[in-house]
Amino acid sequence: MTTILPGPDCTTMTEVRAGVDALDRDLVALLARRFAYMDAAARIKPERGHVRDEARKAAVIANARAEAARLGVPDHVVADVWERLVEASIAYELAAFDRRG
C-alpha cells in the first residue's frame, strides 16, 4: 500500500496519484453525506415548489467561492463546480420529493 503524502511532499507521480485517488474517495463520501441532507430536505419541505430556492443557491455558491478564495484556490473554478453540484442536488431533491408520494 502506498503512503498518502501531502501534495507538497510528493516527489513521484505514483505518490501524486495515490493522494488524488484517496482524496477522490473522501470527496465521494462527503457527497454521499451531502445528498443525505437532500433526502432530509425533501422529507421536510411541505411543497415541491419549495425545493428550488434561488436565494439559497446563490448563497451556497457565494460561500463556496469565498472559502476557495480564502484557501487560495481558483474561486471561479469552485463556483463553476458548485453551480453543477447545487443543480444536481436540486434535481436529486426533486426526485426524492416525488418518491415520497
Side-chain angles (χ1 to χ4, degrees):
M1 177 159 186
T2 303
T3 301
I4 305 303
L5 299 173
D9 295 343
C10 292
T11 59
T12 69
M13 284 309 300
T14 298
E15 293 167 342
V16 169
R17 290 178 180 141
V20 169
D21 291 347
L23 184 57
D24 285 348
R25 285 188 298 275
D26 293 345
L27 287 170
V28 171
L30 288 171
L31 286 170
R33 287 179 52 194
R34 191 180 202 285
F35 280 98
Y37 285 110
M38 299 304 97
D39 286 327
R43 177 176 37 82
I44 293 166
K45 289 179 182 174
E47 297 177 20
R48 191 178 196 274
H50 292 166
V51 171
R52 179 171 287 280
D53 180 343
E54 291 298 328
R56 174 65 179 152
K57 174 184 171 182
V60 168
I61 294 169
N63 290 341
R65 186 173 203 146
E67 184 65 5
R70 185 185 76 77
L71 294 172
V73 297
D75 63 313
H76 67 283
V77 173
V78 170
D80 288 346
V81 169
W82 252 254
E83 170 71 29
R84 288 202 57 168
L85 175 60
V86 172
E87 282 300 319
S89 296
I90 291 168
Y92 179 90
E93 187 180 335
L94 285 168
F97 190 93
D98 291 344
R99 280 193 305 273
R100 78 177 212 197

